[in-house]
Amino acid sequence: MPSLSKPSIEVDIFLFTDGACCGNPGPGGWACILHQKSTGLTKEFSGSEKLTTNNKMEMLAVIEGLKKLKKIPTRVHVLSDSQYVIKGATEWMKNWKRHGWKRKTKQGWQPVKNDDLWKAIDELMQKHHVTFEYIPGHSGHPENERCDQLAVAAYQKYK
């Protein structure tokens, strides 16, 4: 069983995610690990893009992991080292949606960066019961370290 705190809902799946980039922008990779609580079954997935950003890879890891879920709805607990992803999904998205996927800046209302990916996360969150937990990156958390290894390996083909 993965090491983590108790999520706020009963969980079917733990989804560990990470993104990595060599340069920002630069070649990037994403990875996720799905751990089914009832059976202990674990599956790993990863992918890459030739020119991207770290934030996009962090988001893609969540998207690709949620897309792999076969049962709808699934109670899933996402564990990520990306405050951007966690705050975006749990705090900021509500206001972005209310304002037509725009955010208020000193220059006025601007489109949300990566809105295509945020919309994809939002759509997937509507299908499942999703909670998020922050885990510090590179702190020895086994699944987070493994996701980092997979994400880095995924972008190596572009170096």
Side-chain angles (χ1 to χ4, degrees):
M1 177 74 167
S3 55
L4 43 102
S5 66
K6 184 165 177 51
S8 61
I9 62 168
E10 184 60 31
V11 172
D12 299 316
I13 300 284
F14 291 100
L15 172 58
F16 300 91
T17 66
D18 199 17
C21 224
C22 183
N24 200 21
W30 61 267
C32 64
I33 298 172
L34 290 168
H35 176 83
Q36 187 173 25
K37 183 179 173 185
S38 63
T39 65
L41 180 65
T42 297
K43 292 186 179 180
E44 299 177 342
F45 303 95
S46 62
S48 61
E49 291 187 7
K50 188 174 185 176
L51 184 63
T52 189
T53 65
N54 191 68
N55 282 343
K56 287 181 179 182
M57 294 295 95
E58 297 281 2
M59 295 171 74
L60 267 180
V62 174
I63 292 166
E64 294 301 328
L66 291 174
K67 284 169 58 175
K68 300 289 184 201
L69 301 175
K70 293 182 171 91
K71 178 184 159 200
I72 297 176
T74 296
R75 297 171 301 181
V76 58
H77 189 62
V78 177
L79 295 104
S80 172
D81 63 7
S82 172
Q83 292 281 8
Y84 176 70
V85 168
I86 293 170
K87 287 184 178 183
T90 63
E91 297 175 25
W92 307 332
M93 189 183 295
K94 169 179 42 180
N95 287 328
W96 292 339
K97 289 170 63 174
R98 185 176 28 237
H99 297 290
W101 293 97
K102 294 188 186 310
R103 60 188 181 88
K104 192 170 187 171
T105 69
K106 291 178 183 175
Q107 295 78 31
W109 290 95
Q110 301 290 321
V112 171
K113 291 180 182 176
N114 303 313
D115 68 331
D116 57 330
L117 299 176
W118 286 119
K119 289 174 183 176
I121 289 173
D122 180 47
E123 183 178 324
L124 289 160
M125 286 175 59
Q126 302 307 312
K127 294 178 182 180
H128 301 287
H129 303 287
V130 184
T131 56
F132 289 84
E133 180 179 344
Y134 174 74
I135 50 177
H138 309 289
S139 63
H141 189 284
E143 291 85 1
N144 181 258
E145 296 292 340
R146 179 64 180 148
C147 282
D148 182 63
Q149 292 171 349
L150 292 168
V152 169
Y155 75 64
Q156 291 298 322
K157 67 182 176 184
Y158 295 119
K159 290 189 72 186

